[in-house]
Amino acid sequence: MLSAINPSALKKQFPIFKRKIHGKSLTYLDNAATTQKPQAVIDTITDYYTNHNANIHRGVYQLSQEATGLYEAAHATIGRFIGASADEIIFTRNTTESINLLAHSLPPLFGKRNELLLTELEHHANLVPWQQLAKRAGMQLKFIRMNSDFTLDLADAEKKITSKTALVALCHVSNALGTINPVQKITQLAKAKGALTVVDAAQSVPHMPVDVKRLGCDFLAFSGHKMYGSTGIGVLYGRKELLERMPPYMTGGDMIKRVSYHDAEWNDLPMKFEAGTPHISGAIGLAAAVSYLQKIGMENIRKHEEHLTALALEQLKKFSVTIYHPGINHGAGIISFNLRGVHAHDVASLMDDHGICIRGGHHCAMPLMKKLGIPGTARISFGLYNTEQDVAAVMIALQSIIKKFGVKV
Amino acid sequence: MYREHILSHYKEPQHFGSLQHATHHAHSFNPLCGDDLTMELLVKKQQVEDVRFSGKGCAISMAAASMLTEIVVGKTIDQLKKLTKDDIFKLLDIPLSPGRIKCALLCLETLHKAAYGEQSKGDKGEHHDV
C-alpha cells in the first residue's frame, strides 16, 4: 500500500528535524506524548506576539480588537474541525483540565444517578478526576472490562450501562495500547439509558477524522500540543444545551456579565467556562495547527499512520517481543511492546543513542499495566511526519539492543 | 551508559538471592518504572558479614545493586550509612542521563533503609515506595 501523504516532504516543514541527537538525525516516535511543531504554527504564534498582542474582550482599541478577533476565530476553526459550533468549544490548558472541569461542573446534572462508568483502558487523566469525584460524592465507580485482545468488552458495557449510570467516560484511542474504542456504540447504549458521555479524544483528534455528531457524545476533550499546537492549550467540547445548565468551573474575570459586591451573573458560552485571561497565543496557534491538519486531510493522515503501524507490527514480530496492540483493524498508530529480558527503560535509553525518541514506562495508565502484569512497556507512536525509514531505524536499533543484551531470539 | 561492565553485572548479578538469617532487611519499589529491590544483610558486631539482593528492574538499577553489594561486606553499619550518591556514581563509572539517576540510586536507598531500619527478616511490615 502506498502512503496517502508524502511524509518526507512534511518533515521538512518541522524545523526541529534539522537538529541532530547524539550526532544522528532525529527519529521522533513519541507523538502520543507530544508532537513536534510545524513552521506554520511557530510563525503564527510569533506573528501574534510580534504584531497583534493585546488582551482580549476589553480593549476598544484596534490591537485588542485584532487579538479578540483571532481568539474568537480560533473557537470557530476548532469547532468546524470536529463538527461543533464555536460556542461549544471551551479552551482549557489540556485534556486533564477539560476533564477536571467536567468532574467539577457535571455532577449537578446527574440527578439521582449514582454510578460513574469508565473503562479499564483509561489514562490517569480520565480516571483520577472521576475516582476523586466518586470519593467526594459517595458515587460508585465501575469499569468496562478489556478483552484479552486489548479491545473493549462490549457485552460488559451493555451490562454495566444502566438507568443508574450517570456518566460513561472513555478514551477514543488508548494512549497505552492504541485500541480504538467503539465510541459510537457506547454513546448509543448510554443514550438509551439516559447517561451522559465523555470522550477523551487526546489520541484520536490528531490522527483521524473526529466528528462529535457522528460519535454522538455529549463531551469531548483533547490537547493542543498532541496535535502540532503549543503546550498549555486544550479543548473541551460540550453540547450547548448541557454547558448552559452547568455551573462554571473557575470564576473571576471574563466569565461574568455583571458583578456586584455580593453576586455575579455568568457570561455567555464559551466565556462562562474561560475565566481569566486565556492562553490567547496558544488558541491562535492551535487554530493554525488545525488548518495545517485540514490541508493534509485527516483521512490521509489516518491512512498514512495505519500503513506505518501495519509495517511496524509486521517487522516487530520478527523479534523476541510481546506486542500489546489490538491489531490494525482495532488499533491506531500506538504500539506498546516489550523486548524479552530487557526493561522498557533500557530499550528507550538505547534507542536514544540512535537518535530515536520512544517512550518507556507505564504511560500514565498504572492500573492497566497492573492488569497486564507488567511494570510498563516500550511505546512507539506515530505522527504525520513519520516515514518508513523511521520504522526501519527502530528495527536496526532493536537488532543492536538484542546483540548488546544477548537476548535469545 | 550501557558499557560492558554494566551489562555483565546485569546478566550475572553478584550476591543475587536471599539470606536465611538476615539481620537487616529493606524493600524499595519505584512505581514509575516498576523497579523492585530487596536488600538483606547479615550483620554481626556492627559489621556486615554477608549480603544478598533480589528483585527486578532495568539494567542500570540491577547493575548498581550488584556493584554495591560487592563493597558492603566488611563494612560497619555506620560506614553503610555514610555511603553517598557519589559513591554509587563512582562504582557505575558511566555517564548517567538525568532520567536514569533514580534507577541508579534505588540500591543505595534500599541499603540505607536496611541500615537505619535494622529490620529483622520476619518483620516485613514496612514497605516503602520511592
Side-chain angles (χ1 to χ4, degrees), chain A residues 28-290:
Chain A
Y28 188 79
L29 288 164
D30 196 15
N31 295 286
T34 198
T35 51
Q36 299 304 337
K37 317 307 171 197
Q39 195 63 52
V41 169
I42 297 169
D43 286 348
T44 300
I45 292 169
T46 306
D47 176 60
Y48 167 72
Y49 281 126
T50 310
N51 297 308
H52 310 286
N53 178 59
N55 209 332
I56 54 162
H57 291 150
R58 283 181 280 273
V60 291
Y61 47 89
Q62 180 174 340
L63 212 52
S64 170
Q65 282 161 15
E66 282 173 19
T68 305
L70 288 167
Y71 181 70
E72 285 178 352
H75 283 91
T77 302
I78 287 144
R80 275 193 304 276
F81 184 53
I82 59 164
S85 63
D87 53 3
E88 293 176 313
I89 299 298
I90 295 157
F91 285 127
T92 60
R93 279 194 300 139
N94 44 37
T95 307
T96 300
E97 189 174 75
S98 297
I99 294 169
N100 274 276
L101 186 161
L102 291 173
H104 176 275
S105 296
L106 255 191
L109 271 57
F110 289 166
K112 285 194 176 128
R113 292 167 182 259
N114 196 38
E115 289 181 6
L116 299 170
L117 183 60
L118 316 179
T119 81
E120 288 182 335
L121 290 139
E122 299 313 310
H123 184 285
H124 296 161
N126 199 29
L127 166 59
V128 183
W130 303 119
Q131 176 193 83
Q132 296 307 308
L133 169 64
K135 282 181 202 278
R136 259 194 328 266
M139 297 182 78
Q140 284 262 339
L141 194 60
K142 292 192 169 176
F143 297 89
I144 303 171
R145 278 169 27 94
M146 180 182 74
N147 293 315
S148 56
D149 65 356
F150 313 116
T151 60
L152 202 61
D153 183 343
L154 267 177
D156 193 50
E158 222 163 314
K159 220 169 22 191
K160 285 176 179 158
I161 300 174
T162 70
S163 55
K164 286 187 208 155
T165 312
L167 171 97
V168 186
L170 79 164
C171 55
H172 192 181
V173 169
S174 156
N175 76 301
L177 307 179
T179 306
I180 304 173
N181 279 327
V183 171
Q184 237 172 327
K185 283 181 186 153
I186 300 290
T187 59
Q188 276 164 11
L189 290 170
K191 228 175 260 168
K193 299 286 179 185
L196 294 165
T197 48
V198 174
V199 177
D200 166 3
Q203 300 296 346
S204 61
V205 168
H207 304 285
M208 58 188 68
V210 170
D211 182 295
V212 292
K213 303 279 176 341
R214 260 196 74 222
L215 289 178
C217 58
D218 294 313
F219 300 94
L220 184 116
F222 53 99
S223 293
H225 71 98
K226 292 188 200 289
M227 52 190 291
Y228 312 97
S230 69
T231 53
I233 188 79
V235 176
L236 173 66
Y237 154 81
R239 272 207 299 127
K240 194 175 174 179
E241 179 251 329
L242 295 169
L243 290 175
E244 274 172 345
R245 286 162 54 205
M246 287 157 57
Y249 174 45
M250 285 199 264
T251 54
D254 221 25
M255 55 75 65
I256 42 78
K257 245 184 198 155
R258 207 172 286 116
V259 178
S260 68
Y261 279 121
H262 293 283
D263 211 359
E265 190 187 319
W266 310 141
N267 207 339
D268 297 328
L269 290 173
M271 287 86 81
K272 173 180 157 189
F273 290 101
E274 292 181 354
T277 298
H279 187 359
I280 305 168
S281 69
I284 296 168
L286 181 55
V290 163

Side-chain angles (χ1 to χ4, degrees), chain B residues 23-24 42-49 74-78:
Chain B
T23 53
H24 294 62
L42 176 64
V43 178
K44 279 187 185 158
K45 292 182 189 154
Q46 288 294 300
Q47 201 165 30
V48 179
E49 281 204 346
K75 284 204 161 55
T76 65
I77 287 286
D78 278 343

Side-chain angles (χ1 to χ4, degrees), chain A residues 341-343 345-347 349-350 353 361-362 366 375 403-406, chain B residues 1-2 7 10-11 31-35 57-60 97 100 103:
Chain A
V342 189
H343 192 284
H345 282 163
D346 292 328
V347 174
S349 275
L350 284 158
D353 293 346
H362 56 61
M366 279 188 180
K403 210 173 142 201
K404 226 180 186 119
F405 274 76
Chain B
M1 215 157 44
Y2 295 85
L7 289 169
Y10 176 61
K11 288 177 205 164
L32 285 178
C33 49
D35 285 358
C58 66
I60 305 299
S97 66
R100 305 305 297 276
C103 315

